[in-house]
């Protein structure tokens, strides 16, 4: 079993739709959690950190449930420019960062 | 924001040769740098963790004698792919952990093609 698992995707949604990404992690000692965005052939870029109290940034909301070892990302009112691969990222002790396989999102006009 | 550079951005080499990739934190000091590899349509896989002045810690399945990592200063880490083979063709990305604020920043990546 992979340490970080995500929905396989791809997700194809129309502009304006709400889309939710799910992620689970297996190491209960994981310390920090993030969502990254990666465009084709580019390096990943931090989208937002994820906290148990929830984290909202504009159209993006991230949530962490430590008891269930589950992380989510919600995108509201999706735009064409949101098309990318979304990576669930977990950091272990020693700052080792483990990436999920990513979920590809296609937003269509 | 903090910037991490990688050089070269693309490299094509012949099978059996060695290739060195540099990762530099341009405007901050990095206590730790990470090297990742990404094959097409797959996620980033952590190869090794590099701390300045000490030996790198390699992930399971990564050959330390094949992927030589040197972290000589707080702003530079190098990855040398020795005796490269076509199966080593991949996108190699480094990241650097900011010494003061703890955030991790990614380099733009190096696309290696071994012919």
């Amino acid at each position: 079993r992979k340490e970080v698992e995500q929905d396989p995707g791809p997700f194809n949604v129309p502009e304006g739709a709400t889309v939710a990404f799910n992620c689970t992690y297996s190491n209960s000692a994981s310390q920090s959690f993030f969502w990254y965005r990666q465009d084709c052939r580019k390096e990943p870029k931090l989208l937002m950190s994820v906290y148990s109290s929830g984290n909202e940034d504009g159209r993006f909301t991230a949530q962490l449930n430590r008891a269930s070892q589950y992380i989510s990302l919600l995108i509201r009112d999706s735009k064409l420019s949101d098309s990318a691969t979304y990576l669930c990222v977990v950091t272990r002790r020693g700052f080792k960062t483990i990436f999920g396989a990513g979920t590809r999102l296609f937003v269509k006009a | 924001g903090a910037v991490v550079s990688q050089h070269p951005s693309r490299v094509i080499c012949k099978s059996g040769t060695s290739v060195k990739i540099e990762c530099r934190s341009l405007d901050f000091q990095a206590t730790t740098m990470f090297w990742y590899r990404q094959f097409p349509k797959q996620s980033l896989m952590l190869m090794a963790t590099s701390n300045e002045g000490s030996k790198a810690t390699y992930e399971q399945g990564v050959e330390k004698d094949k992927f030589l990592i040197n972290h000589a200063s707080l702003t530079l880490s190098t990855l040398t792919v020795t005796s490269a083979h076509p199966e080593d063709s991949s996108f190699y990305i480094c990241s650097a952990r900011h010494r003061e604020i703890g955030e991790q920043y990614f380099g733009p990546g190096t696309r290696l093609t071994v012919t």
Side-chain angles (χ1 to χ4, degrees), chain A residues 5-58:
Chain A
E5 301 225 44
Q6 294 186 239
D7 291 331
F11 288 10
N12 292 284
V13 303
E15 271 188 295
T18 296
V19 59
F21 299 117
N22 300 312
C23 171
T24 57
Y25 61 96
S26 60
N27 189 334
S28 59
S30 299
Q31 297 181 322
S32 304
F33 310 89
F34 309 90
W35 284 100
Y36 276 72
R37 169 192 170 130
Q38 186 175 25
D39 292 291
C40 191
R41 293 177 166 255
K42 298 283 182 69
E43 77 277 19
K45 293 191 185 294
L46 178 65
L47 183 63
M48 58 199 310
S49 303
V50 191
Y51 308 111
S52 298
S53 56
N55 189 14
E56 186 172 321
D57 183 5

Side-chain angles (χ1 to χ4, degrees), chain B residues 83-103:
Chain B
S83 188
H85 290 286
E87 57 265 31
D88 297 324
S89 298
S90 186
F91 192 47
Y92 291 85
I93 302 178
C94 73
S95 70
R97 183 173 174 271
H98 197 297
R99 187 183 194 184
E100 273 126 41
I101 64 178
E103 293 278 352

Side-chain angles (χ1 to χ4, degrees), chain B residues 99-112:
Chain B
R99 187 183 194 184
E100 273 126 41
I101 64 178
E103 293 278 352
Q104 189 176 173
Y105 300 94
F106 285 85
T110 297
R111 188 161 299 282
L112 170 64

Side-chain angles (χ1 to χ4, degrees), chain A residues 38 43 95-97 99-101, chain B residues 34 36 38 43 59 104 107:
Chain A
Q38 186 175 25
E43 77 277 19
F95 309 107
K96 282 188 180 179
T97 303
F99 284 78
Chain B
F34 303 90
Y36 297 86
Q38 186 176 35
S43 188
E59 293 300 299
Q104 189 176 173

